[in-house]
């Protein structure tokens, strides 16, 4: 198990511009997410599943890997990750409205099922944990290509690892155990980022596992384990960048556990008042990752309050514009339901 | 031409595809130095090495799940499930994931994956080494389901499956691995996935079957031709999904009588789909009851020889059913 102190140096190497860019993605994600909640309450979209509270570890994950090149197998709560990898706010909204031009699925999947071949974001289902073996399989393919000489070791234009994200509830699934086992047996360039927000819908973490940390199970798979504060961008980046370096060096997989919290219900169909106190939620809101990272940037003298305000205003304008364009986009034709069942051509 | 057994043809197909395409690899339980429990991958690890013939952990879900992940990013996995009976831990990966990947990404991500599994009874395997599982998967759009009955077709169809851009389930009649022999062309050839094959021509009635039962149906058709002068046409479906509806319907329009043979349980088996197709699209050609000869509706093929033989259709039972239907 790695502690944060051993890896502290990576975040220190991030430039001012990069730090601000990361902050900006977090704010855009939050404003977009809040807009989706509002659109749902207005009856304009049928469903929303939120990334609020998870922005820090997600933006750190995007910047720790080779963004848009390394394979990513996200889960439905990865809005900030998807945006930071290069997916546009409008892409998310087109999916939320089930538009024909939804780039993730053409209006077939529920919202937040991110997918982009150009960004190597691989399509996932709604069944939790199913994407973990796919990510391990992609990592297996990378190792295979390296061993067979089909890919040069240091070619940064090619994927060099596979990252998957899950909630802690997914670590109760057989998919997780089997995929982690493959990752260990084959020393795969693989990172499993568990965003442990302590609740799988309503079921608390102590009903998922008898262990205090998900990552305590890393030795059982023969992979590296690390636990970090998932609401702290810099701590998350340190831990995840170390995992990336290990993967790139051929030193195998990492089970990375971000401790975080979801201060909103599981989805637009959930009511979290039935399973946790308002006091608990309020306490976590004080640890909000955006407030914390904004304060850090101000303490370091990188940004002033005016700058934060300007970033916020810009994010709101960006979301407004994306929504305008989305509303003008066409719905799928009914018979579009019949298309793309079988691939006819093999694309390498 | 070279005479081969069914399993030799399957091994030859994998050997040629491994040699042809560096992206092809095999994984499954005991596929490495053991060469598979049925010896389907015998000699391949020696020829292609442990990177391309990979012994998996004993875990079917991830044999398929890892295969899906490797396939979507560009490799061409051949996953072996040791017995079709053990495919169920991977059911969600096959039905929920592999089958839906292309559709759910609106044609962006496809899954060029082959899943091989020996199926069927009559080998003393009891409940858990005898199952026929095709009906579960033939129900699922996005999958292809192939079940060959001759070495010629097994080799050509498996090579076509490896090159197919979609997930293909390739079920192999384990009872026929060594008992079914036939000529296989020397050199490269493919058998396309989809078209059925007229295994025997005839105009008195049509027998529809696949896999081991197609092999038995041809034996039965030869018996009744010689002994009774009944000319039974045998349609070897070869591919259940997508089904060759044209060939299925054309034969029935000629004969007006159908016997559908499968070794799965009778109810909800693939024969029901053939029967529905004939009733819906060739009703005016109907010249007798559409009949199904299948396994009884019990939860498995029993182990004891007497009960196993009671369960299994065989050439004699098929011949009897042909005579009965021909006399109707």
């Amino acid at each position: 198990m790695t502690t944060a102190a051993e890896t502290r140096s990576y975040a220190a190497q991030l430039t001012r511009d990069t730090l601000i860019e990361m902050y900006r993605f977090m704010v855009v994600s939050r404003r977009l997410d809040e807009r989706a909640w509002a659109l749902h309450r207005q009856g304009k979209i049928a469903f929303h599943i939120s990334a609020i509270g998870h922005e820090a570890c997600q933006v750190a994950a995007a910047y720790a890997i080779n963004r848009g090149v390394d394979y990513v197998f996200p889960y439905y709560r990865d809005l900030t990750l998807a945006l930071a990898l290069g997916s546009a706010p409008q892409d998310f909204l087109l999916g939320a409205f089930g538009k024909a031009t939804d780039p993730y699925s053409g209006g077939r999947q529920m919202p937040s099922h991110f997918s982009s071949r150009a960004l190597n974001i691989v399509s996932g289902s709604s069944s939790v944990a199913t994407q973990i073996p796919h990510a391990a399989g992609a990592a297996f393919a990378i190792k295979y290509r390296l061993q067979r000489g089909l890919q040069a070791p240091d070619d940064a234009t090619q994927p060099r690892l596979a990252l998957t994200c899950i909630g802690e509830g997914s670590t109760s699934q057989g998919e997780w155990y089997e995929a982690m086992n493959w990752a260990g047996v084959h020393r795969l360039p693989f990172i499993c980022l568990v965003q442990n927000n302590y609740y799988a819908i309503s079921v608390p973490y102590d009903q998922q596992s008898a262990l205090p940390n998900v990552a305590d199970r890393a030795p059982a798979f023969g992979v590296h384990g690390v636990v970090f504060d998932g609401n702290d961008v810099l701590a998350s980046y340190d831990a995840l960048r170390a995992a990336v370096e290990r993967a790139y060096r051929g030193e195998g997989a990492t089970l990375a556990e971000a401790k975080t919290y979801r201060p909103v219900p599981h989805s637009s169909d959930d009511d979290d008042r039935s399973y946790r106190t308002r006091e608990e939620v309020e306490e976590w809101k004080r640890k909000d990752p955006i407030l914390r990272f904004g304060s850090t940037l101000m303490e370091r003298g990188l940004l002033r309050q005016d700058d934060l305000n300007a970033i916020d205003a810009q994010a709101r304008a960006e979301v407004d514009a994306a929504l305008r364009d989305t509303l003008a986009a066409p719905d799928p034709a009914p018979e579009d339901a019949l298309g793309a069942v079988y691939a006819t051509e093999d694309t390498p | 031409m070279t005479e081969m057994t069914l399993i030799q043809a399957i091994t030859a197909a994998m050997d040629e595809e491994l040699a042809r395409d560096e992206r092809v690899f095999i994984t499954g339980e005991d596929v490495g130095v053991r060469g598979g429990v049925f010896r389907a991958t015998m000699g391949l690890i020696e020829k292609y090495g442990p990177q391309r013939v990979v012994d998996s952990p004993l875990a079917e879900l991830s044999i398929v799940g890892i295969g899906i992940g490797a396939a979507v990013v560009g490799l061409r996995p051949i996953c072996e499930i040791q017995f079709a009976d053990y495919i169920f831990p991977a059911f969600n990966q096959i039905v929920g994931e592999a089958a839906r990947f292309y559709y759910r990404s609106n044609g962006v991500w496809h899954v060029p994956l082959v899943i091989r599994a020996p199926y069927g009874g009559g080998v003393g395997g009891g409940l858990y080494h005898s199952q026929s599982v095709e009906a579960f998967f033939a129900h699922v759009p996005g999958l292809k389901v192939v079940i060959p009955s001759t070495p010629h077709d097994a080799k050509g169809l498996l090579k076509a499956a490896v090159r197919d851009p979609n997930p293909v389930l390739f079920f192999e009649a384990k009872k026929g691995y060594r008992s079914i022999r036939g000529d296989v062309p020397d050199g490269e050839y493919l058998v396309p996935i989809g078209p059925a094959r007229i295994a025997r021509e005839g105009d008195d009635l049509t027998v529809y079957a696949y896999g081991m039962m197609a092999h038995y149906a041809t034996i039965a058709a030869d018996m009744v031709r010689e002994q009774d002068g009944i000319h039974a046409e045998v349609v070897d479906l070869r591919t259940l999904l997508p089904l060759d509806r044209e060939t299925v319907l054309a034969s029935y329009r000629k004969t007006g009588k159908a016997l559908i043979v499968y070794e799965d349980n009778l109810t909800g088996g693939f024969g029901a789909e053939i029967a529905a197709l004939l009733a819906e699209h060739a009703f005016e050609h109907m010249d007798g009851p559409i009949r199904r000869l299948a396994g009884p509706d019990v939860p498995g093929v029993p182990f004891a020889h007497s009960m196993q033989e009671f369960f299994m259709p065989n050439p004699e039972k098929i011949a009897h059913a042909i005579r009965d239907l021909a006399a109707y």
Side-chain angles (χ1 to χ4, degrees):
Chain A
M1 190 81 65
T2 307
T3 60
E6 290 170 44
T7 56
R8 200 70 207 176
S9 59
Y10 291 110
Q13 293 162 24
L14 291 169
T15 64
R16 174 181 184 271
D17 286 350
T18 302
L19 292 168
I20 294 169
E21 202 175 82
M22 292 168 83
Y23 179 76
R24 199 185 297 277
F25 275 123
M26 294 169 72
V27 175
V28 171
S29 178
R30 178 68 62 89
R31 297 299 162 246
L32 183 59
D33 206 307
E34 289 167 346
R35 184 63 61 90
W37 281 102
L39 288 165
H40 179 265
R41 297 303 185 231
Q42 293 162 1
K44 290 182 178 164
I45 60 174
F47 182 77
H48 178 55
I49 192 152
S50 184
I52 289 178
H54 289 232
E55 293 93 345
C57 58
Q58 289 184 19
V59 80
Y63 277 80
I65 66 170
N66 192 4
R67 278 193 303 154
V69 177
D70 289 335
Y71 295 125
V72 176
F73 294 73
Y75 79 137
Y76 45 68
R77 214 174 290 292
D78 278 334
L79 177 61
T80 319
L81 174 63
L83 295 174
L85 291 173
S87 192
Q90 196 186 339
D91 296 345
F92 163 78
L93 287 169
L94 288 164
F97 280 87
K99 294 292 190 178
T101 47
D102 156 31
Y104 303 151
S105 78
R108 292 171 174 204
Q109 295 241 61
M110 290 178 81
S112 295
H113 287 59
F114 314 102
S115 169
S116 165
R117 187 175 272 279
L119 299 170
N120 273 340
I121 302 173
V122 182
S123 167
S125 73
S126 309
S127 312
V128 301
T130 48
Q131 81 280 20
I132 312 169
H134 306 165
F140 180 88
I142 292 167
K143 187 171 178 187
Y144 183 94
R145 289 198 288 248
L146 291 170
Q147 286 177 329
R148 308 298 304 167
L150 304 172
Q151 179 179 329
D154 297 319
D155 184 354
T157 68
Q158 298 296 314
R160 286 172 293 162
L161 63 78
L163 164 75
T164 189
C165 295
I166 57 174
E168 82 289 351
S170 292
T171 66
S172 296
Q173 292 277 6
E175 264 100 347
W176 184 70
Y177 285 89
E178 292 199 19
M180 292 305 301
N181 189 45
W182 272 83
V185 168
H186 290 278
R187 288 177 71 81
L188 297 179
F190 171 81
I191 300 171
C192 180
L193 170 56
V194 182
Q195 299 176 31
N196 183 352
N197 63 22
Y198 297 99
Y199 289 93
I201 303 187
S202 68
V203 179
Y205 176 64
D206 64 7
Q207 298 299 303
Q208 300 289 347
S209 172
L211 298 172
N213 304 300
V214 166
D216 291 347
R217 280 176 273 178
F221 303 116
V223 305
H224 198 84
V226 59
V227 183
F228 52 91
D229 180 350
N231 282 21
D232 179 338
V233 174
L234 302 178
S236 299
Y237 182 83
D238 277 333
L240 289 165
R241 184 65 204 175
V244 168
E245 298 280 348
R246 270 194 295 280
Y248 287 170
R249 286 194 305 261
E251 293 172 11
T254 300
L255 173 55
E257 179 182 8
K259 301 283 197 193
T260 184
Y261 196 77
R262 153 174 68 74
V264 292
H266 162 72
S267 76
S268 54
D269 294 333
D270 180 34
D271 182 352
D272 66 326
R273 287 172 300 187
S274 61
Y275 54 82
R276 58 188 182 184
T277 66
R278 296 305 87 190
E279 290 72 23
E280 179 186 301
V281 174
E282 288 308 314
E283 191 186 321
W284 272 95
K285 280 184 178 173
R286 285 193 288 277
K287 296 186 249 182
D288 184 287
I290 295 177
L291 291 177
R292 282 174 67 182
F293 194 39
S295 299
T296 302
L297 295 177
M298 286 203 293
E299 282 162 19
R300 293 193 180 184
L302 299 178
L303 291 174
R304 294 166 316 192
Q305 186 60 50
D306 287 356
D307 300 317
L308 299 187
N309 295 347
I311 287 170
D312 193 64
Q314 198 180 29
R316 287 173 196 276
E318 203 179 322
V319 171
D320 286 345
L323 181 58
R324 248 191 333 269
D325 293 346
T326 300
L327 293 172
D331 292 327
E335 62 274 17
D336 286 351
L338 297 175
V341 177
Y342 290 100
T344 50
E345 276 180 57
D346 199 3
T347 45
Chain B
M1 289 284 183
T2 306
E3 195 189 63
M4 287 189 185
T5 62
L6 191 65
I7 198 164
Q8 284 170 338
I10 287 162
T11 307
M14 288 191 281
D15 191 350
E16 288 181 15
E17 292 305 293
L18 283 162
R20 180 188 64 84
D21 187 346
E22 182 79 13
R23 300 172 303 170
V24 176
F25 74 96
I26 295 171
T27 190
E29 294 152 10
D30 304 293
V31 298
V33 290
R34 175 71 187 130
V37 295
F38 286 101
R39 324 298 282 149
T41 52
M42 192 167 70
L44 298 180
I45 194 169
E46 290 81 359
K47 204 163 166 183
Y48 299 100
Q51 290 166 4
R52 300 190 68 197
V53 183
V54 183
D55 273 325
S56 73
L58 208 170
E60 290 80 9
L61 179 169
S62 51
I63 292 171
V64 174
I66 292 283
I68 292 171
V72 295
V73 304
L75 297 188
R76 297 294 175 270
I78 303 172
C79 298
E80 179 177 308
I81 300 295
Q82 201 160 72
F83 287 82
D85 311 59
Y86 306 153
I87 206 166
F88 300 115
F91 195 80
N92 191 38
Q93 284 291 328
I94 298 168
V95 171
E97 300 300 310
R100 291 167 213 258
F101 233 103
Y102 191 66
Y103 186 79
R104 79 186 185 203
S105 63
N106 202 19
V108 168
W109 296 101
H110 68 291
V111 186
L113 174 71
V114 178
I115 301 168
R116 295 178 40 248
Y119 84 96
V123 296
L127 274 75
Y128 301 103
H129 301 82
S130 304
Q131 291 175 38
S132 298
V133 301
E134 67 275 7
F136 296 113
F137 300 103
H139 178 65
V140 182
L143 300 178
K144 295 188 177 184
V145 178
V146 176
I147 310 183
S149 75
T150 69
H152 172 277
D153 287 352
K155 186 176 176 208
L157 280 164
L158 183 51
K159 285 166 65 73
V162 172
R163 302 178 195 194
D164 198 283
N166 299 284
V168 180
L169 288 160
F170 195 89
F171 293 124
E172 302 162 3
K174 72 171 85 71
K175 170 86 171 169
Y177 265 158
R178 287 171 180 79
S179 63
I180 298 176
R181 307 181 72 88
D183 284 337
V184 173
D186 298 319
E188 172 83 9
Y189 72 97
L190 299 175
V191 174
I193 293 173
R197 176 179 69 99
I198 307 296
R200 290 289 184 275
E201 286 195 34
D203 41 31
D204 290 332
L205 58 84
T206 305
V207 183
Y208 297 97
Y210 48 89
M212 196 66 207
M213 293 304 118
H215 178 70
Y216 281 168
T218 58
I219 296 171
D222 292 345
M223 282 165 60
V224 295
R225 181 183 297 253
E226 198 173 304
Q227 295 168 9
D228 309 87
I230 299 168
H231 292 233
E233 181 144 300
V234 176
V235 176
D236 178 358
L237 296 176
R238 300 197 291 192
T239 299
L240 305 193
L241 185 64
L243 180 65
D244 183 353
R245 293 171 161 230
E246 289 68 31
T247 301
V248 167
L249 288 166
S251 180
Y252 189 69
R253 288 182 180 127
K254 182 170 73 172
T255 66
K257 287 181 177 177
L259 172 68
I260 309 154
V261 185
Y262 51 108
E263 58 176 296
D264 193 2
N265 308 118
L266 177 75
T267 302
F270 194 74
E273 185 58 35
I274 300 291
L277 192 64
L278 300 178
E280 198 171 351
H281 296 286
F283 179 73
E284 63 276 19
H285 299 275
M286 194 176 281
D287 190 29
I290 296 171
R291 291 222 165 117
R292 291 174 291 169
L293 175 63
D297 286 328
V298 296
V301 183
F303 173 68
H305 187 74
S306 56
M307 291 193 287
Q308 173 183 284
E309 293 312 300
F310 174 80
F311 184 107
M312 292 294 293
N314 60 33
E316 289 70 29
K317 291 182 191 176
I318 298 169
H320 181 77
I322 290 173
R323 288 186 194 105
D324 205 45
L325 183 59
Y328 181 87

